[in-house]
């Protein structure tokens, strides 16, 4: 049954300022209903969004993106190229939640983004810039309403009521598909969200993988699951200390049983990682990589020629990623089992923890979550020694750098996929991080509902 009225429970209710980009699954669920991304990401590639089609010339240095015909904001104003350029400029001038400049400003530092009439946004760059496709898939265009709230989009639903961190009521626009009215309620606690579904307060509940204990997957409800593109991993300090050694970095990847972390700490709601990106990032399907196998004996052999006399400082926050302290205790014990000495340092202030990692104040290893769904962004922000961006932790490998440069210059989809597959394969064999897992996102809903699904970004989709 397709409902005319739908009530859902999300971890948070928020419409962020136009200059804020997020990977929060609750916020993305709302944004996906009210706004449109410039392009829609799907497992590494892009589909039309607010841009209906696009062309390129000059070897990928000149791109023309065409605004969807009939695109109108919810206050009746037509959406034109100038609106989109102004939106992009706002992001490029802004800072993120940690007070750091968005990486987008670095990606587009040499590019000219301009309106070419009302219907076309043109991007020109001195070098090929096919990765603009990835970047544009993260931009959901919106405007401020008369009260200064970032609620005006071009999507299927308009916001009729909004109380931040409490509720939002969305009403279907003329001619759109889906329920006539969606009420989204904010509930931070996953167990309470599940109870709201069981008691009939809501029709669906998201992010139930975050309940305390083991999720029961009651047959009384329909369930949806998807492996998230997010990577739970440890940055390894490649600038100083033991992890300057490629052998040591590979050893710790063999020393930790990732499947046990997925089974015991995530209660089966995670899958082991194999490289710096998820199975759904561009290049992963072609690379066909398996996780680095759990092999403590091989780890010990790799460490035979490495000086492990100094204690390793392992740093962790209390959340983000979820279950960070439990994972850190498990990893510390695993490394000690192959002969390393480990101490755990806990940072209680999560934003400050991120700033510390950005300043390279990370000890020897630091748990983190890598969230971009763009392979280009992961490599540029965190791996490349040419860019040495904020999340780069000293990894410097000439072969990897040459592969990244080749991938950045590729233009056609097939060529980009091949090039990024080579990057991911190299980083599997010469890891800069301790790879752990990709979490599984879960929603539940009434059994008689249809049209609900979840994607690999964790977005609850309502068709």
């Amino acid at each position: 049954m397709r409902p005319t009225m739908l009530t859902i429970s999300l971890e948070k209710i928020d419409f962020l300022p136009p200059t804020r980009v997020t990977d929060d699954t609750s916020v993305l669920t709302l944004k996906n209903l009210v706004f449109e991304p410039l392009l829609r990401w799907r497992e590494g590639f892009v589909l039309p969004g607010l841009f209906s089609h696009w062309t390129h010339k000059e070897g990928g240095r000149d791109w023309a993106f065409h605004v969807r015909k009939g695109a109108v904001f919810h206050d009746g104003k037509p959406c034109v190229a100038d609106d989109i350029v102004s939106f992009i400029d706002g992001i490029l001038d802004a800072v993120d939640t940690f007070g750091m400049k968005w990486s987008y400003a670095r990606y587009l530092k040499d590019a000219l983004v301009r309106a070419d009439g009302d219907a076309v946004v043109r991007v020109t760059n001195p070098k090929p810039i096919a990765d603009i496709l990835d970047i544009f898939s993260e931009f959901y265009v919106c405007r401020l309403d008369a009260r200064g709230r970032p609620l005006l989009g071009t999507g299927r639903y308009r916001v009729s009521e909004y109380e931040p961190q409490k509720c939002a009521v969305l009403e279907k626009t003329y001619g759109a598909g889906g329920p006539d009215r969606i009420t989204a309620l904010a509930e931070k606690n996953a167990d309470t969200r599940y109870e709201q579904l069981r008691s009939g307060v809501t029709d669906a509940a998201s992010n139930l993988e975050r309940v305390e204990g083991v999720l029961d997957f009651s047959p009384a409800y329909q369930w949806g699951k998807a492996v998230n593109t997010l990577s739970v991993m440890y940055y390894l300090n490649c600038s100083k200390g033991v992890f300057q050694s490629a052998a040591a970095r590979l050893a710790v990847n063999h020393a930790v049983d990732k499947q046990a972390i997925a089974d015991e700490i995530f209660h089966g709601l995670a899958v082991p990682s194999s490289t710096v990106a998820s199975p759904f990032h561009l290049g992963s399907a072609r690379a066909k990589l398996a996780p680095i196998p759990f092999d403590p004996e091989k780890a010990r052999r790799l460490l035979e020629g490495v000086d492990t006399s100094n204690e390793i400082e392992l740093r962790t926050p209390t959340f983000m990623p979820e279950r960070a302290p439990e994972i850190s205790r498990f990893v510390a014990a695993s490394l000690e089992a192959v002969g390393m000495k480990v101490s755990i340092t806990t940072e209680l202030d999560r934003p400050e923890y991120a700033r510390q990692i950005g300043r390279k104040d990370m000890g020897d290893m630091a748990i983190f979550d890598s969230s971009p769904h763009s392979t280009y962004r992961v490599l540029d922000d965190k791996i490349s020694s040419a860019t040495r961006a904020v999340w780069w932790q000293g990894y410097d490998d000439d072969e990897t750098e040459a592969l990244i440069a080749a991938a950045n210059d590729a233009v056609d989809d097939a060529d980009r996929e091949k090039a990024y597959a080579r990057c991911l394969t190299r980083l599997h064999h010469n890891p800069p991080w301790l790879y752990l897992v990709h979490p599984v996102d879960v929603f539940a809903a009434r059994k008689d509902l249809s049209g609900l699904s979840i994607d690999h970004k964790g977005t609850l989709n309502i068709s």
Side-chain angles (χ1 to χ4, degrees), residues 248-263:
R249 297 195 301 271
L250 185 58
V252 295
N253 273 279
H254 282 295
V256 177
D257 188 345
K258 290 97 167 187
Q259 189 62 58
I261 290 176
D263 293 342

Side-chain angles (χ1 to χ4, degrees), residues 347-359:
E347 173 57 62
L348 301 180
D349 183 335
R350 182 56 177 80
E352 175 57 22
Y353 180 77
R355 288 188 285 267
Q356 290 166 359
I357 304 307
R359 296 194 300 264

